[in-house]
Amino acid sequence: PALLLAALCPALALNTCRTLDLEAARLKRIEAVRGQILSKLRLPAPPPDPEPEPAPALPEDVRALYNSTRELLRQRAMHRELPDPQEYWAKELFRFPMETPGDGE
């Protein structure tokens, strides 16, 4: 173990590579692309974000149709019979004759 440690220490001392911060490199690249786009558009800074416009009000007939459809679906769900868990789903039994390998043509 001491021999391995003695051989490893000089190898670590020769390592002059810096670690690369990928997040910082990504942010620098994004800023560079943003600067290129702004220079192409001849803008000194990005334009401010526009104010979000309020959603237009729904017409009353559309709202009434939506509400009546929801109410109808709710009523249908209440009147629907729950399936009996003991009931077998398949009503017909199908049989398929199976041939053993080598018996067919």
Side-chain angles (χ1 to χ4, degrees), residues 19-55:
T19 59
L20 180 63
D21 185 8
L22 294 178
E23 185 64 23
R26 186 180 72 84
L27 292 176
K28 281 184 181 180
R29 183 66 186 146
I30 290 172
E31 287 300 318
V33 170
R34 183 176 289 140
Q36 289 174 350
I37 292 171
L38 289 174
S39 69
K40 288 283 186 185
L41 296 174
R42 296 185 179 142
L43 294 174
D49 290 333
E51 295 287 329
E53 296 181 11

Side-chain angles (χ1 to χ4, degrees), residues 35-93:
Q36 289 174 350
I37 292 171
L38 289 174
S39 69
K40 288 283 186 185
L41 296 174
R42 296 185 179 142
L43 294 174
D49 290 333
E51 295 287 329
E53 296 181 11
L58 285 174
E60 191 58 37
D61 54 344
V62 173
R63 185 179 313 217
L65 178 63
Y66 174 76
N67 289 336
S68 65
T69 304
R70 284 187 62 190
E71 183 62 31
L72 179 65
L73 291 174
R74 188 178 299 125
Q75 287 176 0
R76 284 184 181 173
M78 288 175 48
H79 290 92
R80 185 176 11 175
E81 294 180 11
L82 295 175
D84 183 17
Q86 301 296 327
E87 184 179 350
Y88 184 64
W89 293 99
K91 301 296 180 190
E92 297 180 28
L93 180 65

